[in-house]
Amino acid sequence: MTITLPDLPYEKDALAPHISSKTLAFHHGKHHNAYVTNLKKLIEGTDLTSETLEDIIKKTVNDADKAGIFNNAAQVWNHTFYWQSMKPNGGGLPTGDIAEKIDADFEGYDNFIEQLKNAGLTQFGSGWAWLVLNNNKLEIMKTSNADTPIAYGVKPLLTVDVWEHAYYLDYQNGRGNYLDAFINNLINWEFVNSNLV
Ligand code: MN
């Protein structure tokens, strides 16, 4: 499988003012692109070139000798999922099946956003906060650095990048303000629903 940098699913200025075009230009064009370039170099000439991105991640997790491959592969996957987790004029109350499931599994939207925001705020250093489906139940997860639920067979529904490069140009050290903007203005609930089925 050829590893490529996917286009953003919207224009670079489409998420402003919540995420600026400058942040997206660096985050997608430099950071995400670098993970793609690094991964291609690292797997060149190995059996992994014929594997899907997900299989590369599953085959290298917890293998210290392949940490570089795992980290870059997981970052490529996580970023592609993160871009899709957002849309212009998104956020706010969920719609569709996910709305009912959030009410059932979190006892309401307010508890859900409190837990999601808390996961993002308390992820020490770089990482990701996630809404996942685990044994058919919604759960909030956080992962460090490149780590990703798909390495462990847990199904991601939504993610927010809490590496500083995701928000520092727009919010400086205000990770909470960035998380508020993600929750209130950016979550793509149609994408979350499409992952639920
Ligand atoms: Mn990132």
Side-chain angles (χ1 to χ4, degrees):
M1 176 184 162
T2 311
I3 308 292
T4 54
L5 179 70
D7 290 335
L8 286 173
Y10 29 72
E11 296 299 316
K12 280 193 182 65
D13 60 359
L15 304 184
H18 311 293
I19 294 178
S20 65
S21 58
K22 192 173 181 186
T23 290
L24 284 184
F26 276 93
H27 199 175
H28 176 259
K30 302 290 183 188
H31 291 276
H32 191 174
N33 191 45
Y35 300 127
V36 171
T37 306
N38 291 341
L39 177 61
K40 283 163 79 170
K41 267 188 212 150
L42 286 166
I43 64 173
E44 203 176 277
T46 75
D47 292 348
L48 291 171
T49 52
S50 58
E51 303 285 353
T52 64
L53 188 57
E54 289 202 30
D55 283 338
I56 293 172
I57 291 165
K58 286 173 183 165
K59 286 186 172 186
T60 57
V61 65
N62 296 326
D63 182 343
D65 293 337
K66 298 201 168 97
I69 296 175
F70 174 80
N71 285 335
N72 283 283
Q75 284 294 77
V76 171
W77 196 94
N78 290 349
H79 281 89
T80 302
F81 196 78
Y82 169 61
W83 307 133
Q84 295 175 279
S85 293
M86 300 185 287
K87 68 167 196 175
N89 303 309
L93 291 172
T95 53
D97 291 344
I98 192 67
E100 289 174 31
K101 199 148 176 61
I102 282 174
D103 278 341
D105 291 353
F106 290 102
E107 296 175 358
Y109 173 75
D110 290 346
N111 278 331
F112 158 71
I113 56 169
E114 189 186 327
Q115 288 187 40
L116 180 65
K117 184 176 177 183
N118 190 51
L121 277 175
T122 59
Q123 171 51 42
F124 186 76
S126 296
W128 301 81
W130 304 83
L131 173 65
V132 300
L133 195 63
N134 194 9
N135 294 322
N136 207 34
K137 198 168 187 305
L138 298 179
E139 291 177 4
I140 300 294
M141 247 180 109
K142 55 184 176 178
T143 58
S144 290
N145 298 317
D147 206 11
T148 181
I150 64 161
Y152 312 102
V154 175
K155 189 179 169 64
L157 304 177
L158 172 76
T159 195
V160 55
D161 187 343
V162 295
W163 285 56
E164 283 186 348
H165 66 222
Y167 61 87
Y168 217 86
L169 290 174
D170 298 324
Y171 298 92
Q172 291 74 53
N173 62 335
R175 191 189 285 189
N177 296 331
Y178 159 68
L179 288 165
D180 285 340
F182 178 86
I183 288 164
N184 295 322
N185 302 287
L186 296 173
I187 292 175
N188 183 345
W189 287 115
E190 289 84 6
F191 177 66
V192 180
N193 270 310
S194 74
N195 292 321
L196 198 54
V197 293

